[in-house]
Amino acid sequence: MKSKMPPIVEENKPMVLVGCGILSKEVTYLINQNGWNIETQFLHSALHNYFDKLASELNSALTADENSNRETIVFYGACHPKMDSFLEQHHTLRTQGQNCIVMLLGYELFMLELSKGAYFLVEDWANTWEPMITEVFGKNPSVVREIFHSSHKYILALRTPCSEDFSAAAALAAQFVDLPLVWMDVDLAHLQLVLEDAITQKQHEPR
């Protein structure tokens, strides 16, 4: 999937991508595959459940990069109500998409599966599923299942070229919320386009 876009050339320091760790393996793979001169700072993938923590950690990372004179892009969706304000404050921009799953699948496929009742599950979430879910929704299984059943009909596990075998973890996650498990193999073509677009926008920003 080698990109036709030329490698990023920075006279000084590499650009820094600050973002959610949910697709850290996929993003790192694309950076290496395409020879982009970008360093990464991934934050914990569960931060989107805690607005205060997300705001604190994202702003701290961006402030540190600013203080070291680093150009940044942000790999997040609309995961915080003040996300645009954060970007403006730190003179940066983010990858386009409502969330990381949209960036991976594309809007049309995301909406198609969402309309059928999918809850999207990726490897990182599967491997931390029960503690992550119970911390947010509590430890009563019947309550957790009621919450999921109210808006979802199945768990859609997304397997990328970077995924390890997380079939056992995915099965346990689906069992925990008592929903059927469905698998989908996903390539990285759309994610690459999203990253390329953000990089290009940043390169052409007025300095």
Side-chain angles (χ1 to χ4, degrees):
M1 194 194 305
K2 194 73 173 178
S3 172
K4 295 180 181 179
M5 191 175 75
I8 298 168
V9 178
E10 285 284 344
E11 294 180 0
N12 300 311
K13 299 175 182 178
M15 187 184 295
V16 183
L17 179 147
V18 180
C20 181
I22 188 68
L23 296 175
S24 60
K25 292 198 295 187
E26 289 76 10
V27 171
T28 300
Y29 172 84
L30 289 172
I31 289 171
N32 294 333
Q33 176 78 2
N34 292 291
W36 296 336
N37 189 23
I38 296 179
E39 295 179 2
T40 56
Q41 296 175 3
F42 291 113
L43 307 182
H44 197 283
S45 63
L47 284 177
H48 69 282
N49 292 318
Y50 310 97
F51 285 160
D52 289 346
K53 291 181 180 179
L54 173 57
S56 175
E57 295 198 24
L58 179 57
N59 282 306
S60 293
L62 292 172
T63 297
D65 290 326
E66 282 181 316
N67 291 340
S68 59
N69 198 30
R70 307 293 295 273
E71 292 286 346
T72 61
I73 57 175
V74 171
F75 179 66
Y76 266 104
C79 301
H80 193 286
K82 294 185 178 179
M83 181 62 72
D84 289 341
S85 176
F86 300 156
L87 300 176
E88 183 178 357
Q89 175 185 344
H90 296 286
H91 311 288
T92 188
L93 54 84
R94 71 172 178 89
T95 45
Q96 291 302 302
Q98 176 185 348
N99 54 53
C100 294
I101 305 302
V102 172
M103 296 180 205
L104 179 63
L105 297 182
Y107 181 78
E108 291 184 0
L109 181 55
F110 171 81
M111 290 304 298
L112 175 63
E113 294 296 337
L114 187 67
S115 69
K116 295 190 291 186
Y119 181 93
F120 302 94
L121 183 68
V122 292
E123 181 181 3
D124 184 271
W125 283 345
N127 289 330
T128 58
W129 182 257
E130 186 170 344
M132 178 182 71
I133 292 298
T134 55
E135 187 172 352
V136 176
F137 298 116
K139 296 184 178 182
N140 187 325
S142 61
V143 172
V144 173
R145 289 172 179 175
E146 182 179 352
I147 292 169
F148 271 78
H149 289 188
S150 67
S151 53
H152 303 291
K153 296 181 179 178
Y154 59 101
I155 299 292
L156 181 60
L158 304 176
R159 187 165 39 210
T160 79
C162 300
S163 300
E164 298 180 18
D165 182 4
F166 67 104
S167 54
L172 287 173
Q175 181 181 3
F176 187 74
V177 294
D178 189 31
L179 287 173
L181 177 64
V182 179
W183 286 89
M184 177 183 288
D185 289 317
V186 184
D187 64 29
L188 303 182
H190 192 271
L191 181 61
Q192 173 159 306
L193 291 175
V194 169
L195 292 171
E196 286 182 348
D197 182 61
I199 293 166
T200 300
Q201 286 188 58
K202 189 64 179 181
Q203 288 178 315
H204 290 88
E205 271 190 344
R207 299 297 177 91

